Amino acid sequence: MESQKLTPEQIDQLAAGPDLDALIAEKVIGLEVSEFDGQKRVLDLDPVYAPDTKVYKFPERYSTEIAAAWLVVEKLKPLRLHLIDRSDYEAGKTYWHAYMLDTKGEGVPDGHGITPALAICRAAFKTVIGGKE
Amino acid sequence: MKLEEIDQLPAGPELDALIAEKVMGFKVTNLNGVPYTEWDGPDPKELPEYSAEIAAAWIVVDKLHLFKGRRSGDTEWGLCLQQNDRDEWVIKHRYGMDIVRAETAPLAICRAALKTVMVNQS
């Protein structure tokens, strides 16, 4: 996936899962990503069993697990997360909106998703590859 | 406990036990001063660190979605979690009024959850 060519609208269509996790690992977290047998892996910066060799592992599940998504929030500091639950529970629809403010209180690109983790990842990805809107 | 007192609760096992009991609906047992939830296996089940770990705190967020449609006064659960320019985490409800502030997001979630439950029970 050529992330530099993605528009904000295309980022809003990225599905949660390994591909988006790998993009976040590379573009937001700054990890080295390689592909093995069609699957993206990230360089393990602290390999326990083979400290002198390059070890690759699956990326964190940034787009599906809130604890991993929080690593993205931490990485983007001093940007300040705003995360809003805009779900319509009567209609049975969950909908989260994430955006960040910079140190001047100005907004940077936002993201939406059916989970907070996905909304955070989309917002973060737009922020790092797109700059300010 | 008064609502204002909730704002002073620190993160830790005591708050985790309150969340487990008042929000999650678990029966909490103390063993040698350490809180556990009821268990049916061989080993006691330790409480999740609701007030310290974001993944555990999000269990509380998900639980409180059960409060959909319930209102008492101005308190309706509809999470807006944001970090302000003083590095505090603030939770607001849909009408803009601050519910809580805390130094971490999990602690803010736990304090807001307790307040929400108390207001809905009163």
Side-chain angles (χ1 to χ4, degrees):
Chain A
M1 196 178 301
E2 294 292 330
S3 60
Q4 283 83 358
K5 296 177 182 174
L6 292 175
T7 65
E9 292 74 24
Q10 288 172 318
I11 293 173
D12 281 331
Q13 302 304 315
L14 292 175
D19 284 346
L20 180 53
D21 294 338
L23 280 173
I24 294 293
E26 183 177 9
K27 303 299 180 185
V28 180
I29 306 296
L31 298 174
E32 180 183 324
V33 175
S34 287
E35 192 165 320
F36 298 90
D37 298 328
Q39 293 184 320
K40 299 279 179 60
R41 308 281 174 88
V42 299
L43 181 63
D44 188 346
L45 297 178
D46 188 22
V48 176
Y49 300 109
D52 297 326
T53 58
K54 271 194 166 184
V55 176
Y56 289 83
K57 62 180 183 179
F58 287 108
E60 300 284 343
R61 295 176 177 171
Y62 303 109
S63 62
T64 55
E65 293 183 357
I66 190 67
W70 222 251
L71 299 174
V72 176
V73 175
E74 295 290 329
K75 182 69 181 181
L76 288 180
K77 283 183 176 179
L79 297 180
R80 293 180 276 118
L81 174 69
H82 285 55
L83 181 63
I84 305 168
D85 178 359
R86 298 191 188 280
S87 301
D88 182 347
Y89 291 104
E90 289 184 2
K93 293 179 180 176
T94 57
Y95 170 58
W96 290 82
H97 179 204
Y99 65 95
M100 299 188 191
L101 296 181
D102 64 17
T103 52
K104 296 176 183 173
E106 296 175 353
V108 295
D110 61 358
H112 304 89
I114 59 171
T115 66
L118 181 55
I120 288 169
C121 284
R122 286 174 173 169
F125 193 28
K126 286 183 191 177
T127 299
V128 297
I129 74 163
K132 293 182 181 179
E133 284 181 327
Chain B
M1 182 180 293
K2 295 176 182 175
L3 289 178
E4 302 79 49
E5 292 174 320
I6 293 174
D7 290 324
Q8 306 304 318
L9 290 174
E14 287 186 22
L15 179 51
D16 295 336
L18 272 174
I19 293 292
E21 190 172 350
K22 306 292 185 187
V23 179
M24 304 304 293
F26 296 140
K27 186 174 180 181
V28 177
T29 303
N30 268 289
L31 291 177
N32 299 321
V34 179
Y36 294 90
T37 58
E38 274 190 314
W39 70 95
D40 52 13
D43 299 315
K45 191 174 174 185
E46 289 187 33
L47 293 180
E49 293 184 65
Y50 299 112
S51 61
E53 293 186 354
I54 192 67
W58 221 262
I59 298 171
V60 176
V61 172
D62 288 338
K63 176 76 176 182
L64 284 183
H65 286 170
L66 297 175
F67 283 85
K68 63 186 180 187
R70 289 193 200 176
R71 286 193 62 178
S72 179
D74 265 331
T75 302
E76 180 182 13
W77 187 260
L79 185 73
C80 173
L81 174 65
Q82 57 186 242
Q83 197 173 21
N84 67 17
D85 57 5
R86 285 173 288 182
D87 225 18
E88 298 170 317
W89 287 91
V90 180
I91 289 185
K92 297 181 176 184
H93 62 66
R94 285 177 175 154
Y95 305 107
M97 186 185 300
D98 286 9
I99 296 181
V100 294
R101 296 164 187 269
E103 54 266 35
T104 68
L107 181 55
I109 288 168
C110 287
R111 287 175 177 171
L114 273 181
K115 284 190 175 185
T116 301
V117 169
M118 287 180 64
V119 168
N120 277 285
Q121 287 177 342
S122 63

